[in-house]
Every structure is written in C-alpha cells, then in structure tokens.
Amino acid sequence: MFNSMQIRVKLYAFRFAASLFRTELRWTQSRYTSISSVTVDVDPIMKKDKVSKAMKAYLERAKAHNEFMSIQNMEFKIGKRHLANMMGEDPEAFSQDDIDRSIQYLFPSGLYDKNAKPMMKPPEEVIPQRKAAEFNETGRPFHSMFYTGRPNYCKLLFDIVENINNLNEVEDQRLRKHLTPDQTQRLETSGYDWQSKEALEKILLEDISDTEYDNFASAISRLIHLPYSYRQKSFIDKYRRPLLIKTDSDQIPKPQLDENGRSYVTVYECLRKSARGDVTVIAPGKGTIKINGHDITYFKDIQAREQVLFPLIFANMVGKVDVSANVEGGGFSGQAGAIRWGIAMALRSFVDADIIDRMRIAGLLQRDYRRRERKKPGQAGARKKYTWKKR
C-alpha cells in the first residue's frame, strides 16, 4: 500500500513530466511553422453523410417512378405525333381537344360509362400523384403527425377541431358584448354535400377507411352548424361540393301561345318502364287533368293518382295550371311515373329558379330507368332460389 507521502511524490513527478511535454510541443510548433500552415485534404470517403434506410428506400422508389413517368411521357408524345399524322394535322399544334376529337372519330364507342371509353391523356392526369418526401436524409420526419400513419388525414381533423375551438371563443366574446351572428352571411347547407371518400383520398393523397371518412363528415358537419361558421367559409368550401349543377336557362323550353292566348309547354318522350307518353301543361288554368281523355280517375289506384299530383303539390301549382297527357304501354304504375316526370319537366317554365333547384334535389327531374329484373334459369325468380335438399 502507498502512503500519502509516496502519492504526493508521484503526483509532482506527473505534473513535471506534463510541463516538459507542453514545452517540447511548443518548441516543435515554432520550429515547423511552415509545415503547420499546409492544409491536408481529407478523404471524401471519410465524410460520407449518414442516410437512413427509409430515405434510401424512398429514393429508390422515386427514381423508379421518375424513370417510369419519363417513358410514359415519351410514348405519349410519340402517340400524339402519330395521331396527328393520321388526321393530317400539324403535330406541333395538336392540342388535347384535337386528340379527344380524333379518338372519338377513329374509335367510336357505344359504351355509356365514361371510364370505359377509349381515351388518350397525358400521364400526369391518368397516373396517380405520388407524395413528396416526408423526411430528411437523416430520417427525421417533416410532418408533426408522421407517425400516425395518415398525417394529412390527422392534420385535417386537427384543423377542424382548432377551427371549432376558435369559433366557440368568438361566440363567447360576442355574447359578452350582447352581439348576435349575422344571419345574412350564414352558410347554405341545402344543395351541398361533402366530398366523397374517393375525392377526399385524392385531396389527402392517402387511403382512408369508411369509419375514418364518417369521422371526418361528422366533425366538419359540426363545424358548419356553428353560428359563426361563415368565418371559415374558405376552409369549408374546400371539402364540399354542390349536389347538382344549377339548371341552365337555355335548357328550359320557352312557353308557346295557343289560340286562346294561354301559355303551354309540351314534353315528349316521357318514359317509365314500358310506358311512353307526352304531357302538355297550360297556364293559367283551373287545375283540370286529362289523361287519355279521362280525368284523374283514369287511375284506379290511389298511389298512381298521388304520383301524378305530387309535382303540382311540390311546386305549389295545384289549381293554377291545366294538364293534358297521352300515354300508352305498360301498367298503371309505369304510366303514372311517365306522366309525373313530364309534368315536372314542363313546370320548369312556370316556376322560379329556387323551386327548380328544390325539384331537382327531390329527384323530380331525374328519369327513373329502373325495370323489372328478369327471372334467371335454375332459380325460382329474379333472386329467389329453390330450396336445396340433400336427398
């Protein structure tokens, strides 16, 4: 064991050796000043930045996507040039409208579904858009909600809740001052609906489930029903759409005058199931209804009579116009549906735009193409099956 005196001697010897080393180092630096001023380049291999595995995988996917898009763009330009040569047009001045017109001329299709028809669009419009890099080279995410799995969706819900809290604070402040919201700026909810699940996924660039979409719809519905929701109109309009486009005034037929000077409108091709007919609405009138020369008792069933009267009741035109209809084919249900659609289409010429929009939302202006489903072979009916027996 060392005593205290030996430890002190060893400590003094260590300090003395350290002072000698510092003196030798200063002497060496002063002697070789020219050598110390020379800079030495470090091997660039030693200065490699650390890149996370996630970033490497993303860069590989992005590189493959960019190569794929470049090939698709090149093929689109080649196809566009060939199509212009086939049509005898200048390839440099060949626009997208010219492409669509040429496709419709060269490849006529009787398919009704828009997605089933042949088309030729730029790859950027057909191929889904990719999300940008969500993290830096070290793997640190840019988005604060990256680890939720759906950062854009969660950020949308966060913004909705934040707007709700802000509007509640505004309402509390104005209540203390005995102020009420401006009813003239209240947002209109009728005639609008929220973006569909597919449209919302395109906006967010993320896939969401039905439950998550229902949560979004309930949250933003709560926001729009607040008294001061008009303060967030720009935010709300991003995620809602009109149910139906407003009717163009040019599509509504103009009334003609008969020999008595009364206005009338005739609607042809009134269809429902196997029934075909035409309907004439005359204004002003006394409310008389003629169906194949008979009154409303032409239909024995009460439900069929209600179908004929429903457009007049909905537009508040009972007793104000006369109706004359000729219909043939089908049964009473089909004939009543055909007359109902004809009356609704003719009433557009005698009511204002607000009632037309209400009729459109109620479905009065939409044709009913439903038909009876046929019986299938090997089955008891259209959907009914025979009882299976083992023996």
Side-chain angles (χ1 to χ4, degrees):
M1 297 295 295
F2 297 101
N3 54 22
S4 60
M5 182 60 68
Q6 290 177 344
I7 293 174
R8 289 181 182 179
V9 171
K10 289 182 179 294
L11 181 60
Y12 291 150
F14 177 79
R15 290 180 178 177
F16 180 75
S19 62
L20 290 177
F21 177 78
R22 285 195 296 268
T23 305
E24 181 69 19
L25 181 61
R26 285 195 296 268
W27 179 80
T28 305
Q29 290 178 350
S30 63
R31 184 176 180 183
Y32 299 99
T33 53
S34 60
I35 298 177
S36 63
S37 62
V38 178
T39 58
V40 181
D41 294 333
V42 182
D43 189 359
I45 300 177
M46 303 297 294
K47 300 174 69 176
K48 284 185 178 180
D49 296 333
K50 292 184 179 180
V51 181
S52 64
K53 294 182 179 180
M55 192 62 187
K56 288 180 180 178
Y58 169 77
L59 293 175
E60 292 177 358
R61 293 195 302 269
K63 182 179 179 181
H65 179 75
N66 293 335
E67 293 177 354
F68 172 76
M69 290 298 296
S70 62
I71 295 174
Q72 295 298 320
N73 283 317
M74 182 180 63
E75 292 179 353
F76 174 75
K77 292 179 181 178
I78 295 174
K80 174 183 174 181
R81 183 172 293 275
H82 285 318
L83 186 61
N85 293 333
M86 292 173 63
M87 300 300 296
E89 300 288 343
D90 183 14
E92 302 300 333
F94 208 59
S95 62
Q96 185 62 40
D97 295 335
D98 298 331
I99 294 176
D100 297 339
R101 186 172 59 254
S102 302
I103 292 293
Q104 185 178 3
Y105 174 76
L106 295 174
F107 306 100
S109 175
L111 301 175
Y112 292 101
D113 192 354
K114 185 178 180 181
N115 295 329
K117 293 184 178 181
M119 68 174 182
M120 184 177 178
K121 300 287 185 181
E124 291 80 7
E125 299 181 12
V126 179
I127 301 174
Q129 185 180 0
R130 283 179 54 86
K131 296 176 70 173
E134 301 176 355
F135 36 78
N136 56 17
E137 295 182 355
T138 61
R140 186 181 298 276
F142 296 135
H143 207 291
S144 59
M145 301 183 183
F146 172 78
Y147 293 104
T148 60
R150 295 179 178 85
N152 295 337
Y153 170 77
C154 295
K155 183 64 167 61
L156 173 60
L157 295 183
F158 177 83
D159 293 340
I160 294 175
V161 174
E162 188 176 12
N163 291 330
I164 291 175
N165 295 333
N166 294 336
L167 293 180
N168 288 334
E169 292 179 2
V170 171
E171 184 179 4
D172 294 340
Q173 293 175 1
R174 295 182 68 87
L175 285 176
R176 297 189 194 100
K177 299 178 181 179
H178 303 286
L179 298 176
T180 58
D182 188 0
Q183 297 297 330
T184 60
Q185 299 185 15
R186 185 176 181 179
L187 295 181
E188 185 66 30
T189 57
S190 62
Y192 290 89
D193 194 11
W194 304 120
Q195 295 284 357
S196 62
K197 179 174 174 290
E198 293 75 14
L200 185 62
E201 287 177 344
K202 291 182 179 180
I203 295 174
L204 300 177
L205 298 177
E206 295 174 353
D207 295 334
I208 59 177
S209 62
D210 295 336
T211 304
E212 291 171 339
Y213 177 77
D214 294 339
N215 294 336
F216 155 76
S218 61
I220 200 167
S221 297
R222 180 182 174 186
L223 172 63
I224 198 174
H225 285 97
L226 293 177
Y228 294 93
S229 60
Y230 56 84
R231 290 174 170 261
Q232 301 295 336
K233 183 177 183 300
S234 59
F235 175 80
I236 295 174
D237 288 342
K238 294 179 183 178
Y239 304 100
R240 69 173 184 168
R241 57 183 176 86
L243 283 176
L244 295 168
I245 302 175
K246 291 189 176 181
T247 307
D248 190 359
S249 58
D250 296 336
Q251 298 178 356
I252 300 176
K254 294 182 179 180
Q256 300 179 3
L257 299 178
D258 60 3
E259 61 276 5
N260 298 325
R262 296 192 302 172
S263 301
Y264 74 94
V265 172
T266 302
V267 179
Y268 300 95
E269 293 297 325
C270 301
L271 313 177
R272 175 71 178 101
K273 292 184 178 178
S274 300
R276 303 290 183 271
D278 58 81
V279 177
T280 301
V281 175
I282 306 171
K286 298 180 180 179
T288 59
I289 299 177
K290 291 294 181 179
I291 303 173
N292 291 344
H294 301 81
D295 57 4
I296 193 66
T297 58
Y298 171 82
F299 295 113
K300 306 301 182 182
D301 192 0
I302 299 298
Q303 184 179 4
R305 298 179 186 179
E306 292 176 350
Q307 290 290 316
V308 174
L309 294 174
F310 181 68
L312 299 172
I313 298 173
F314 190 87
N316 195 19
M317 297 294 287
V318 178
K320 299 179 182 179
V321 295
D322 294 337
V323 178
S324 176
N326 298 313
V327 63
E328 61 181 3
F332 289 137
S333 176
Q335 291 182 357
I339 295 174
R340 165 184 157 166
W341 183 82
I343 293 174
M345 295 296 290
L347 286 177
R348 296 181 302 165
S349 304
F350 304 103
V351 296
D352 55 11
D354 294 336
I355 297 180
I356 294 176
D357 291 338
R358 290 175 54 197
M359 293 171 63
R360 184 177 295 277
I361 294 173
L364 289 173
L365 306 181
Q366 176 65 35
R367 283 189 185 272
D368 191 353
Y369 292 100
R370 295 177 299 172
R371 299 182 68 88
R372 183 178 183 275
E373 188 173 351
R374 72 176 185 89
K375 177 186 178 300
K376 277 76 172 183
Q379 297 181 185
R383 297 181 182 87
K384 186 179 180 180
K385 309 294 191 300
Y386 293 119
T387 302
W388 180 81
K389 295 182 180 179
K390 185 175 182 180
R391 292 180 180 86

